[in-house]
Amino acid sequence: MWAASTLVFVLLRLAPGDPYAMRFEGLPLPRATIEARRAQRGLDDPMPVQYARWLGNIVRGELGWSEQHQRPVRDVIADLLPRTALLMGLALVTSLSLGMWLGAWQGTRAGSFGDQVATTSTLVLYSLPEFWLALLLLQLFVQTLGWLPATGMVSAMHEILPFGERVRDRLEHLVLPWLALSLVGVSVFARFQRSSMRDAWREPFVRTARAKGVAERGVRWHAWRTALAPVIALAGLTLPALVGGAVFVERIFAWPGMGNATVSAVNARDYDLVTAAVLLSSAVTVFGSLLADLVQRMVDPRVGS
Amino acid sequence: MTAQTTSVAPLLDVRNLTKHFPVRAGWFRAPTQVIRAVDGVSFTVADGETLALVGESGSGKTTAGRAILRLIEPTSGQVHFGGRDVRALNAASLRALRREMQIVFQDPYGSLNPRLTVGAAIREGLLVHQLAEGAAAEQRVRALLDEVGLRAEYATRYPHEFSGGQRQRIGIARALAVEPRFIVCDEPVSALDVSVQAQVVNLLRDLQRDRGLAYLFIAHDLAVVAHMADRVAVMYLGRIVELAPRAALFATPRMPYTQALLSAVPVPEPGRVRRRILLAGDPPSPANPPSGCVFHPRCSHPDRDAMCANVIPALEEKAPAHWVACHKVPAAAPPSLPSTLA
Amino acid sequence: MTSPLLSVHDLRVSFFTEAGPARAVDGVSFTVHAGETVALVGESGCGKTLTALSLLRLMPTGARLAPTSRVEFDGADILTMPERALRSLRGDRIAMIFQEPMTALNPVLTVGDQVAEVVRVHTALSGRDAWTRAVDMLALVGIPDAAARAQQYPHELSGGMRQRVMIAMALILEPALVIADEPTTALDVTIQAQILELLRAMRERSGMALLLITHDLGVVAEMASRVLVMYAGEVVEESPVELLFSAPGHPYTEGLLAAVPTLDTSRERLRTIPGTVPPPTDWPAGCRFRERCAHAWDRCASDAPPLVQLGPAHRVRCHLVQEPERRRT
Amino acid sequence: MSARRRTLVPLLALACFVVLALGAPWLAPAPPNAIPADGLIQSLPPTVEHPFGTDPLGRDVLSRMLHGARVSLSVAFLSVALASLVGTTYGAAAGWIGGRVDALCMRLLDVALAVPRLLVLLLMSALWGTLPLHTLVLLLGLTGWYDVARLVRSDVRGLRERDFVLAARATGVREARILWRHVVPHVWPTLVVTATLGVANTIALEAGLSFLGLGVQPPDASWGTILRDGQLPGGARWWLTVFPGAALVLAVLTCNALGDALRESFAPRQVAA
């Protein structure tokens, strides 16, 4: 985590000029004013001092001021994060469970007709960029068929709807972003689970289980248990990609979450908010891979010993 | 303290060879433990002689073989080959020395680069030591293939087209290409079927006779060793526990471990009643070897005592040319234990 | 003679490979009586492991059994019985021990679990009782501190201990027949001695029959009462063990015995069998050993020799049986 | 489908893409940025004259797509080439040297992997303002080599212990020659497969960035910018979503299928080796 934030700091310094010079470039402001702002934000201090302050601020949770929202970055994030977490969490659970189920099914009958159909389907799904899938879903279900409400998290009249309708309204807004994120995720996990299950299926211990008189269901369970660890490791490594996918999907469905706000912040040069978003996503990634590591150790005693 | 058998300087002289592998763990790979794979091993190999290094897995025999060639850098000890201090050589002189010291590996599938033709693999040594080039090199490759009993036109084929026995012949041809005086044979026949194994054993012996080669023959199969070796060194947990001429070792093994090892070998003679010494449990881990005599926790010698548990026995000449590391074997006397094979 | 426990008749298993069809097991017939130890010997590629696997219909995918093949166990044909009946036989009446206990055991389950699973699958015992039985069995096969070891995973045990776990798993329900496929090949010689001793003791204790698949003639001599020698997918000799070693009938058996290095030979050349075992896609016509045989004559190339009864329980697949004068010395 | 055909079909498809991209100036009915002379500046659905329709500035979509292919493909190929170069060097060095150097290299890689790639790119474009094309290639390349490094490193580490490498060393072969003759040829399959899958990934990523307005900048055409034009206010224009999107998916699919097929075709040899 510390290393990741250092990396972000280095990345910030790598860019030409500095964010303040850029932000006020071309604006009819006196040079002195800009210099004053720079000094005020400590950008004139030597690099190590800046670095120490940067690190200190992060540790204290001081993420800066969002020029775009005119609020502290911390507050902006507190509002946005739960919405993104909802979307990503749902998508992750769906893709993991469905993908693992499909992949495990394929792995035990590798080469069969059903497996080939599934392999081709997941390959195509895997090749669909999330943002285009999202655009397509939007075009089809909203603009052409008109089955689902356009974008956002709730409709304009949400507050005055009765309770049942409100739930329905929320679900209707959720379904497309969830679908766009999950479909691609399913293909990722299915592809991986297939190959790890196929490998496990060829291991001699599968034959041992059969020789013991274990029924096919139990034999599949034997194989699946050993094929689990690599998939969990992958799930940890996939988080950055999922974050990336969420950015596009939120953007297209105008889902008011972190991803959407990050892109807006980039366009508005809201520099503190972008930095915070990068830091936050790194934190999620690090946490995710630590968690994956932990679960992996739980399901496979060989890992780490 | 060396097991010197000849008065002339031996071809290979290994003294107190030690290789400890650090076990690294954690983020920055700090060593947390030491595996004492080879722990103070001394022996000599004379010109044209075969010394067999036998032991079970984990005894350190393979590591010893590789450390001598500096394929693994030894932790300490001296290795002299043909009078030169192998450990003191710089990279260039070491490469030059490798013309004289070669190795044949156990796994006939892993020891040949699958992307090189057989000819290219054999030729590589000729090229790096500038022994032959072009048509001359081609000629040498064909002659080498012929010498190991393969057809010369195999030179253009790839390793996967050959059986295990044939690959092992290719590996031998590759080692012979640079005309070495000494070859470390690291379990060269363990992976082969019985009938093929016999072919390769005979080939190795023919080559030794024709070329005056010296072998360090690493093996776990005592029966093969009985057909290959002039002298035999038995390793257990990184140490040599017994070293003797072949006939003496097989007829009158003295160290209790050697006796147990010999008695464990299944003999293809049904109905023959033998006194079998069954060792209890598994060999201890080389990361945590027992104090004193490394064998003492499994030893069944009737006089086993505190000395065995606390004092490391030296490898001593208990009978002419018969070296034993055991407190309980009396020096220069008839064997204290009844021979298992008598 | 009582009816045999296991009777294999004309077992044929084939594959389709890139190089054409491979008749990996080609007309193997033999019997195993209750309490008997029979060894199946041969070099790699002779079809002995595939024969063993076929007895429980555990062949790898792609292997085909000929419709005429029969494997009768206690009167029932294993090759045609429904999957359910077969499952209740496996592990309970017929058990298997595999060569490499590292890969043959499931790496992510405790060894106690894997032994107890056999009990749970075949009996009505609860999980706890099955576990207790598993721990008792692990202790019986000589695993020290079995209750603690049962909680460990295969990679935490040594090779010898793992093979003891395999044996515990195979023997826990006291099967009538145990098929052991190279049970000691992956082990060191002193550990091999322990495992062979254990198998002998267990056999005496339970009276099980043992079909021992091995390439090691020393192991055969120590363990078996009857021997089947396989070469190129066929049984070439069947013989009581003493007779096999004292008077081998088939040139291949003879060659094999001569090629085995022994401890007390003085340093003379080993005898060898020239050439190698042909691949199963390319068995020679006539006698399959002909190309490596010192005695072969034209009849060997044209007629495939039948398995001829030579004496009581001694059968040999060689034309020399009928024309012993052809033998070259 | 046989293994051979599974490789050949996507390979031919990829070749088609390359030919279309290279031939864009001759194949395209109109220059990519030409606004119609008759002043008809509006987005029209497909007609015979404009088979894929026109964009909000009245430009011919087919022509823009053909020229966009040049940009999309060259950005992807160049940045993957850069990533492969950096990743192979880094991974091979870490794997071959081993020990503490290797451990340190891998920890650094973990750190780099912790920051999601897309967000690094977002941050950079926020700081740069707009990214010139060569900077985009550079950034995509410099953020895309982690996988290559990891895989090459694990391959090299495995190879380092192989008997045939030891045999070469025992013969007296120099380390450089061992690397070149005995290690590099075995890393090739990994590299080719990862690079192919990397191209697929990068094509999609560049399109995504351009779609967000942060990648290729107007008026230059790339598949992503055309898609972005389709989202401009003024009603649904399906032809601006479907056609460039289909091209994008086809290109990504082709590379993924090729990568999968190559991996399968390399696998048996690796097993045999």
Side-chain angles (χ1 to χ4, degrees), chain A residues 79-90 153 181 246 250 255-260:
Chain A
D79 276 356
L80 302 178
L81 192 61
R83 302 171 184 164
T84 299
L86 170 75
L87 192 58
M88 276 179 58
L90 268 182
M153 213 167 98
L181 264 183
E250 286 190 3
W255 185 269
M258 275 302 298
N260 200 352

Side-chain angles (χ1 to χ4, degrees), chain A residues 112-263:
Chain A
S112 69
F113 180 71
D115 170 50
Q116 286 185 7
V117 170
T119 303
T120 313
S121 319
T122 49
L123 176 66
V124 171
L125 267 184
Y126 181 70
S127 303
L128 288 177
E130 277 113 339
F131 77 96
W132 191 66
L133 181 64
L135 279 180
L136 218 57
L137 290 172
L138 193 67
Q139 188 95 48
L140 186 67
F141 288 101
V142 180
Q143 287 164 1
T144 308
L145 295 171
W147 287 357
L148 290 166
T151 51
M153 213 167 98
V154 291
S155 55
M157 295 175 302
H158 180 78
E159 290 304 322
I160 55 166
L161 292 171
F163 178 73
E165 290 290 303
R166 271 203 234 174
V167 173
R168 192 191 142 95
D169 186 46
R170 282 200 175 256
L171 288 180
E172 278 181 346
H173 280 90
L174 190 58
V175 62
L176 284 185
W178 164 75
L179 207 61
L181 264 183
S182 304
L183 277 176
V184 178
V186 166
S187 70
V188 172
F189 291 116
R191 278 164 61 88
F192 208 75
Q193 175 83 72
R194 174 183 182 267
S195 77
S196 75
M197 187 70 175
R198 187 185 55 178
D199 293 347
W201 199 241
R202 292 173 183 161
E203 291 282 330
F205 65 78
V206 169
R207 195 173 57 193
T208 309
R210 288 218 179 90
K212 278 155 59 167
V214 176
E216 278 308 287
R217 248 182 91 88
V219 175
R220 279 198 294 275
W221 185 79
H222 264 278
W224 185 75
R225 274 296 315 270
T226 57
L228 198 56
V231 177
I232 289 168
L234 177 83
L237 286 174
T238 316
L239 273 174
L242 191 68
V243 170
V247 169
F248 288 116
V249 169
E250 286 190 3
R251 187 73 186 161
I252 285 160
F253 292 107
W255 185 269
M258 275 302 298
N260 200 352
T262 308
V263 179

Side-chain angles (χ1 to χ4, degrees), chain A residues 127-129 131-133 135-136, chain D residues 17 52 61 65 203-204 207 222-224 226-228 238-253:
Chain A
S127 303
L128 288 177
F131 77 96
W132 191 66
L133 181 64
L135 279 180
L136 218 57
Chain D
F17 270 107
F52 287 179
V61 172
M65 272 173 61
I203 291 175
S222 92
W223 294 334
I226 304 172
L227 281 164
R228 178 179 173 79
W238 60 268
W239 56 96
L240 285 178
T241 302
V242 172
F243 294 124
L248 172 64
V249 171
L250 267 179
V252 175
L253 182 61

Side-chain angles (χ1 to χ4, degrees), chain B residues 56-57 193 199 206 279 282, chain C residues 44 158 188 190 194 269 273:
Chain B
E56 299 181 277
S57 36
D193 272 322
Q199 294 168 5
D206 292 347
L279 291 179
D282 297 316
Chain C
S44 44
S158 69
D188 274 323
T190 58
Q194 295 172 358
R269 281 181 78 80
I273 306 175

Side-chain angles (χ1 to χ4, degrees), chain B residues 28-48:
Chain B
F28 291 100
R29 311 264 114 205
T32 54
Q33 216 184 5
V34 164
I35 291 184
R36 308 164 86 87
V38 179
D39 212 7
V41 158
S42 305
F43 57 80
T44 60
V45 179
D47 236 329

Side-chain angles (χ1 to χ4, degrees), chain C residues 237 248-259 271 295 320 327:
Chain C
E237 181 159 7
H250 196 282
Y252 174 65
T253 318
E254 238 176 283
L256 211 52
L257 284 170
R271 275 184 51 199
H295 314 292
L320 280 177
R327 178 177 286 274

Side-chain angles (χ1 to χ4, degrees), chain C residues 48-193:
Chain C
K48 58 187 192 302
T49 291
L50 194 57
T51 302
L53 293 175
S54 307
L55 301 183
L56 276 175
R57 267 167 53 192
L58 289 170
M59 307 84 73
T61 42
R64 281 157 195 257
L65 275 167
T68 52
S69 302
R70 289 179 69 76
V71 174
E72 277 180 18
F73 177 78
D74 238 2
D77 188 356
I78 289 181
L79 300 185
T80 54
M81 67 170 57
E83 191 71 29
R84 226 190 145 71
L86 178 64
R87 272 208 305 270
S88 70
L89 214 62
R90 291 175 177 168
D92 188 9
R93 308 283 330 275
I94 307 177
M96 279 200 83
I97 297 168
F98 294 101
Q99 176 180 151
E100 223 327 311
M102 186 69 211
T103 54
L105 291 172
N106 191 322
V108 304
L109 302 178
T110 64
V111 295
D113 245 348
Q114 298 188 57
V115 177
E117 187 181 27
V118 187
V119 182
R120 287 202 315 269
V121 166
H122 292 286
T123 70
L125 283 187
S126 73
R128 180 186 296 255
D129 292 342
W131 179 269
T132 314
R133 262 192 84 171
V135 170
D136 291 347
M137 191 66 202
L138 288 171
L140 189 66
V141 297
I143 293 182
D145 201 6
R149 289 279 174 170
Q151 310 268 11
Q152 291 188 312
Y153 295 92
H155 72 275
E156 298 172 297
L157 304 180
S158 69
M161 285 299 147
R162 281 196 288 264
Q163 198 54 286
R164 284 176 195 269
V165 171
M166 275 300 288
I167 292 172
M169 213 159 79
L171 301 185
I172 189 163
L173 295 178
E174 308 208 330
L177 172 66
V178 173
I179 302 168
D181 184 9
E182 304 264 10
T184 59
T185 304
L187 303 175
D188 274 323
V189 61
T190 58
I191 308 297
Q192 165 172 283

